[in-house]
Amino acid sequence: MSTESLRIVWVYPDLLSTYGDRGNALILARRARQRGLPVEVLEVRSDQRLPATADIYLVGG
């Protein structure tokens, strides 16, 4: 197994977090860890640049 982390990016929680997006990020991370995957969750606010690479981008409704 690779030692690289599964990268989950929560996009603009300050603007778009109206539908339980934090919970989605937490559950995805937990389920990945239960399967032995290292996980990195990044919260990217609207005044920050999005990372060019990630495995999952969570965007609010």
Side-chain angles (χ1 to χ4, degrees):
M1 175 172 17
S2 173
T3 59
E4 290 186 31
S5 294
L6 175 70
R7 293 186 75 199
I8 300 171
V9 176
W10 181 14
V11 179
Y12 303 158
D14 54 326
L15 298 177
L16 302 174
S17 183
T18 57
Y19 298 103
D21 301 316
R22 176 181 297 282
N24 292 336
L26 292 172
I27 291 300
L28 283 170
R30 180 176 178 189
R31 293 187 70 172
R33 287 184 184 110
Q34 287 175 330
R35 288 160 177 77
L37 299 171
V39 179
E40 177 183 8
V41 178
L42 303 169
E43 294 184 17
V44 180
R45 300 180 60 82
S46 60
D47 62 345
Q48 299 173 313
R49 293 180 54 98
L50 288 174
T53 59
D55 299 296
I56 298 171
Y57 290 89
L58 290 175
V59 180

